[in-house]
Amino acid sequence: MTGPRHFLDLDRLDATTLRRLFARAIAFKAGEHKPVMAGRTLALLFEKPSTRTRVSFEVGAHRLGGHAIVLNSRDMQLGRGETVADTARVLSRYVDAIVLRTDAHHKLLELARSATVPVINGLTDRSHPCQILADILTIEERKGDIACRRLAWVGDFNNVCRSLVHAAGLLGFSLAIACPPELLAGDEPALAWARAQGATVTVLADPREAVRGADAVFTDTWVSMSDREGERKRALLEPYRVDGRLMRLAAPDALFLHCLPAHRGEEVTDEVIDGPQSVVFDEAENRLYVQMAILEWCLVG
Ligand code: CP
């Protein structure tokens, strides 16, 4: 007997599956009505705050004919010591799929091991695959097939960056990452994995080198929620701010992406995030459609 179809990380999927998810997201965005969640309930379990993930999954479940319940771990027995495994077994008796946002990736894996319904990664300390699917859809809406494109990531090698590296391994675009060497784990497995798939992924210290000629420039918050290294990271990342001068080194029609929430004046200037190259609100909107596609894929294949 096969188990539930989980959506945990992009490096567990293949290019064909990603392409199918994008096709379904485009269909949902074009207005396709498919009530695959009729009579079904989605649990959204948060150990950390969220605006986009929470609202887009709730709306997505509703548009697919189902409904969502939002659970804060602090209000659950999970927050008082009940195990993740027991929580998974109990929730599986009530709901049809579970989205988890957590600071500890191992909890996502534990939830998936014990749940008998699909589990979806709504962000962990390791990865944010829903976000990167939305970002790639956003780039392809403007520029067509991403395979021949050059992307640049500027800032911390964080969870969103790691999912972007996984996507490079599957979809064949080239990726230059500018990150302070002090913030890089020398044996980052995502890089080895993507390169083994044939992807060109380079890691540089100089943000100007990474951005030069790029078709899209990504950045993200320097200090993530519950990051204890805040002040050290801010000091190291000061030269990695995406401002107008840095963006002018990219291709003239380069896009600027940020998964939000942004800390304006820190990792990005107002000039860039509010400028004509910015697609940050399209990214946020596309979360809804890629997640409807993910829910459909998890629930009905
Ligand atoms: N980008 C993102 O995941 O946003 P939230 O933290 O608001 O969910």
Side-chain angles (χ1 to χ4, degrees):
M1 197 181 90
T2 56
R5 182 177 279 169
H6 302 304
F7 181 84
L8 301 179
D9 258 325
L10 299 184
D11 61 351
R12 293 173 173 236
L13 302 177
D14 55 34
T16 306
T17 303
L18 288 203
R19 285 285 159 216
R20 285 192 187 133
L21 288 170
F22 289 132
R24 295 303 298 143
I26 290 164
F28 286 126
K29 191 167 184 175
E32 181 176 317
H33 179 66
K34 196 172 173 202
V36 293
M37 284 196 66
R40 286 174 154 148
T41 300
L42 175 67
L44 294 161
L45 176 50
F46 288 96
E47 293 191 332
K48 302 170 73 174
S50 167
T51 297
R52 281 144 288 268
T53 304
R54 172 183 169 162
V55 178
S56 55
F57 265 115
E58 274 198 80
V59 172
H62 178 71
R63 288 200 190 174
L64 292 171
H67 89 285
I69 51 176
V70 178
L71 305 165
N72 186 320
S73 63
R74 282 192 305 274
D75 302 329
M76 296 174 67
Q77 301 294 1
L78 184 63
R80 295 182 58 242
E82 187 166 18
T83 66
V84 172
D86 285 350
T87 304
R89 292 181 190 114
V90 171
L91 290 181
S92 297
R93 301 289 177 110
Y94 302 135
V95 305
D96 301 280
I98 306 168
V99 175
L100 175 65
R101 167 165 291 198
T102 177
D103 251 343
H105 194 77
H106 68 87
K107 290 188 189 173
L108 178 81
L109 302 181
E110 201 178 334
L111 192 77
R113 267 195 305 274
S114 300
T116 54
V117 299
V119 170
I120 297 170
N121 180 347
L123 180 147
T124 72
D125 55 332
R126 178 176 189 266
S127 56
H128 200 359
C130 293
Q131 181 65 52
I132 287 302
L133 289 197
D135 294 353
I136 289 167
L137 179 61
T138 304
I139 293 171
E140 292 201 331
E141 283 176 335
R142 306 278 181 127
K143 296 191 171 292
D145 191 351
I146 202 167
C148 55
R149 297 291 177 180
R150 290 174 55 200
L151 275 52
W153 175 276
V154 179
D156 191 14
F157 194 117
N158 67 3
N159 48 3
V160 182
C161 179
R162 196 167 288 109
S163 287
L164 185 60
V165 172
H166 290 156
L170 292 176
L171 298 176
F173 56 84
S174 71
L175 176 61
I177 298 165
C179 176
E182 296 88 340
L183 296 181
L184 273 172
D187 58 346
E188 174 53 63
L191 291 174
W193 180 86
R195 288 170 181 152
Q197 311 307 305
T200 305
V201 183
T202 50
V203 182
L204 308 155
D206 185 347
R208 292 166 303 182
E209 262 187 75
V211 162
R212 197 160 280 126
D215 297 301
V217 177
F218 289 68
T219 191
D220 194 6
T221 311
W222 287 347
V223 181
S224 304
M225 292 173 270
S226 66
D227 193 330
R228 294 196 190 100
E229 284 197 294
E231 285 320 305
R232 177 175 169 264
K233 274 193 171 175
R234 275 196 191 88
L236 288 169
L237 287 162
E238 188 62 29
Y240 292 77
R241 178 172 301 114
V242 179
D243 58 13
R245 223 161 69 172
L246 191 66
M247 275 305 286
R248 280 190 283 281
L249 295 176
D253 60 348
L255 303 176
F256 170 73
L257 293 98
H258 188 309
C259 70
L260 304 177
H263 292 78
R264 289 161 174 266
E266 204 164 83
E267 73 272 8
V268 61
T269 58
D270 285 341
E271 174 196 13
V272 170
I273 197 167
D274 295 329
Q277 290 165 279
S278 173
V279 290
V280 299
F281 299 109
D282 291 342
E283 292 175 74
E285 179 187 348
N286 284 334
R287 290 289 301 274
L288 171 61
Y289 304 111
V290 298
Q291 288 162 193
M292 288 171 73
I294 291 166
L295 286 168
E296 179 189 48
W297 179 77
C298 287
L299 290 167
V300 299

